[in-house]
Amino acid sequence: METFTELRDLVANPHYQEQKRKILGGLTDDMIDAPIIELINDINKLPYCFTLQCCYGHFLFNGRNDPDNLDSLPVTNTIATVEYRIAYVAFCIDNSDSGRMLLDHLREIASLDPENIQFCCAEWFWGRQVNSYALQVEPDRFTHMDTAVLDYGEAMKTERIRNEFFSHVTKLFKKLNDLDVAG
């Protein structure tokens, strides 16, 4: 995020449930990148968390300039650089025991690869919605950017990390939903 900031503590938010209803009331699956629709829906089922924005992450290069493209990078030696538009999920988390537990889980995901996965706050999200956080996948030197130009080899590595990241996040929210239903 261009407005990346360090993590903040959860604060009181007596309007959390009302804000969740309002924000999710306008959300439809066609607004979400196809590979993460199920994940976003799983996140939004939890009573102590909802999504604000998300992006699967897109790789653009000469010959593939569609900013919404979801194709994997081709195996080739003809691409020198790739524009990477970051993969991220921005959340609003309730100030509750469950919300604090979720923050711990999200920190753990970022710790899987701290050079490429960041857990952060973003000023412009927090200004509109307190208790907002983002998990993002991007080489650390671009932490404050929404896009990065990567050499082809690093783009391939970033794509692999992005895929692993979404696998971990998906497993986490499936587990949390199973616990919430059983709880």
Side-chain angles (χ1 to χ4, degrees), residues 71-87:
D71 296 336
S72 297
L73 286 167
V75 177
T76 184
N77 62 0
T78 61
I79 301 170
T81 60
V82 175
E83 178 184 337
Y84 172 58
R85 299 193 178 176
I86 69 169

Side-chain angles (χ1 to χ4, degrees), residues 10-17 20 46-50 91-103 130-133:
L10 289 166
V11 298
N13 181 6
H15 305 289
Y16 171 84
Q17 291 300 332
K20 180 175 181 170
L46 293 171
Y48 51 89
C49 181
F50 64 92
F91 310 87
C92 179
I93 299 174
D94 189 31
N95 186 3
S96 64
D97 289 342
S98 295
R100 285 184 285 284
M101 178 243 352
L102 175 58
L103 286 174
V130 297
N131 299 336
S132 58
Y133 300 86

Side-chain angles (χ1 to χ4, degrees), residues 18 42 53 126:
E18 176 186 328
D42 281 347
Q53 283 187 357
W126 197 279

Side-chain angles (χ1 to χ4, degrees), residues 105-116:
H105 287 303
L106 298 175
R107 283 185 192 96
E108 287 174 16
I109 288 176
S111 73
L112 295 172
D113 188 342
E115 293 178 4
N116 293 289

Side-chain angles (χ1 to χ4, degrees), residues 1 3-6 8 120-127 132-134:
M1 307 279 137
T3 51
F4 171 97
T5 60
E6 295 303 317
R8 295 182 179 189
C120 59
C121 290
E123 278 300 320
W124 77 275
F125 279 131
W126 197 279
S132 58
Y133 300 86

